Amino acid sequence: MQGSATGHSQRNRSIDIVRGVAVLGIFTINAADMAYPQDLVLDFCATDPDGGFGYWVAFTAEVLFAGKMRGLFTLLFGVSSVLVVEGLVRRTDANTAAQYYFRRLAWLLVFGLVNAYIFLWWGDVLFKYALLGMLLFSLRRASYKLLIAGMLTCLAVLTIQPYAEYRDLANLERQYIDTQDQPRPAQPLTSQEQELVDMWLDIVADTRPDPGSIENEIRIKTGNYAGIFNYNLNQALEEQTTIFYLEDIWDMLLFMLLGIVLLRMGFFDEQLSQSVHALIAMMGIGVGLGVHLWLNLGLYTNYSDPVVPFYYLAFFDFGRVPFVVGYASLIILVFRAKLFAHAGDGIVAVGRMALSNYLVQSMIGALVFYGFGLARFGQ
């Protein structure tokens, strides 16, 4: 019994450390969305036209952290959901465990709404986690075959969606070019051709920063709370509905299922040796870094192109999945070392209070960047 308790303790420590690093890492990406107009968040050429220090800091953050920290955090939510239910079932019965688990999710949903609307972090994930957590209750006992099939389905959707967008936009661009290349001495465009031209020009306009929109967002977010709250409403609502059901549900479910698979394989247990974690870290980060360097260079080289970025985005999760698993192994490996044991204790504390830390990040962002605080938004 003592050996089992020690094993669980070591496993929980590894899980808490990875979660702690993830929740801190998330802020490195979320801070940019909190601090800058949406039209400029990823337009490093506009914010640092000389390609200086700011450009490369932002580029490096995108390659190393964007999507990866959230992937880790989501993966750990899948792990925690299973462990919570299993712990409850051991201590009580299945019905009581279910009631307690869904009550926890209801509170998580409430915290997500508070974070998105009251704390003004429109990119909140807690609301989405609460909804998907309800699905995980049924999937916690699913077979490896079903879990892997679910992961592959999610990965396929995340790949097909941007590629289909790329294909459709490329086709529209070709049709637009055809209308421009045809000799027309005095013949006006047909209504169908004019509709096609207008559609393409709208798409092109949407890919370029709008000075009026940027100025308006800065004016509102350096103003009072009521103005920011009203501006935030539509964006937060879109995140929790359209974006969640079309995009984020596949992204989050992929990593939650991956977390359950890794947990069952003993990934977080002490029995998985240092050498195995080292191999996973090298291979995962090596593959992920290679894919994401190529992908981000392609994205920023073609940032103003309305078509090409979607081609690169189709490969995003092919690099992200091994990157996230490699990061998890690297974190476990580093904090198992005696040199970092003391620092690991601090990270464990962060991981155990992940919800509080996540909510406090929103408060810090609001107080630093918005008008009722230090009003540093847009700077």
Side-chain angles (χ1 to χ4, degrees), residues 72-359:
L72 273 176
F73 199 45
T74 307
L75 183 151
L76 266 297
F77 181 82
V79 170
S80 299
S81 296
V82 171
L83 291 179
V84 166
V85 175
E86 288 180 351
L88 289 169
V89 169
R90 280 197 302 270
R91 294 194 301 272
T92 60
D93 57 84
N95 288 336
T96 305
Q99 290 174 19
Y100 184 83
Y101 177 76
F102 281 98
R103 190 159 59 241
R104 281 172 58 107
L105 290 180
W107 277 111
L108 187 66
L109 189 144
V110 170
F111 281 124
L113 292 174
V114 169
N115 195 36
Y117 297 99
I118 306 303
F119 296 164
L120 305 175
W121 174 222
W122 52 265
D124 167 78
V125 297
L126 302 179
F127 178 88
K128 302 170 185 178
Y129 281 8
L131 294 180
L132 283 173
M134 298 176 188
L135 181 61
L136 292 184
F137 185 82
S138 300
L139 290 174
R140 74 190 190 282
R141 292 180 176 175
S143 64
Y144 274 117
K145 197 174 292 186
L146 181 59
L147 292 172
I148 292 170
M151 288 166 55
L152 292 175
T153 300
C154 292
L155 186 59
V157 173
L158 291 169
T159 303
I160 291 167
Q161 281 181 335
Y163 187 79
E165 189 80 9
Y166 163 73
R167 185 194 57 199
D168 292 344
L169 287 172
N171 184 49
L172 183 62
E173 184 181 32
R174 281 193 298 271
Q175 293 178 19
Y176 169 78
I177 292 170
D178 288 343
T179 65
Q180 304 305 300
D181 288 344
Q182 292 176 14
R184 297 176 181 275
Q187 183 181 357
L189 295 173
T190 65
S191 59
Q192 187 176 2
E193 288 173 333
Q194 187 61 54
E195 184 180 350
L196 185 148
V197 168
D198 292 341
M199 188 185 306
W200 175 252
L201 293 178
D202 285 344
I203 290 169
V204 171
D206 285 343
T207 62
R208 293 171 184 167
D210 177 10
S213 174
I214 293 168
E215 185 179 338
N216 182 56
E217 188 173 354
I218 292 174
R219 178 184 59 79
I220 291 172
K221 291 191 174 177
T222 52
N224 57 39
Y225 180 90
I228 301 170
F229 177 85
N230 288 329
Y231 184 89
N232 182 66
L233 278 176
N234 288 336
Q235 198 168 12
L237 184 60
E238 185 180 16
E239 277 285 327
Q240 293 176 350
T241 53
T242 307
I243 293 175
F244 174 56
Y245 291 113
L246 292 181
E247 301 172 17
D248 287 350
I249 190 171
W250 307 104
D251 174 311
M252 292 178 173
L253 189 57
L254 167 63
F255 285 95
M256 288 178 187
L257 296 180
L258 177 59
I260 296 173
V261 170
L262 291 178
L263 178 66
R264 287 194 189 170
M265 292 173 63
F267 182 87
F268 300 98
D269 294 337
E270 191 74 13
Q271 286 81 358
L272 197 64
S273 68
Q274 307 282 79
S275 58
V276 173
H277 273 301
L279 181 62
I280 294 171
M282 284 190 295
M283 291 181 63
I285 295 173
V287 171
L289 184 60
V291 172
H292 277 245
L293 273 173
W294 166 77
L295 184 152
N296 280 282
L297 285 169
L299 284 176
Y300 298 129
T301 303
N302 299 279
Y303 182 78
S304 60
D305 190 296
V307 179
V308 176
F310 287 98
Y311 172 78
Y312 288 100
L313 289 173
F315 298 93
F316 185 80
D317 285 286
F318 279 101
R320 185 179 171 214
V321 170
F323 220 145
V324 166
V325 177
Y327 265 152
S329 271
L330 179 63
I331 293 164
I332 292 171
L333 200 61
V334 167
F335 288 104
R336 276 185 186 175
K338 291 182 179 179
L339 182 63
F340 297 101
H342 184 65
D345 293 339
I347 301 296
V348 165
V350 173
R352 287 177 181 168
M353 297 186 66
L355 174 61
S356 300
N357 279 288
Y358 183 73
L359 293 172

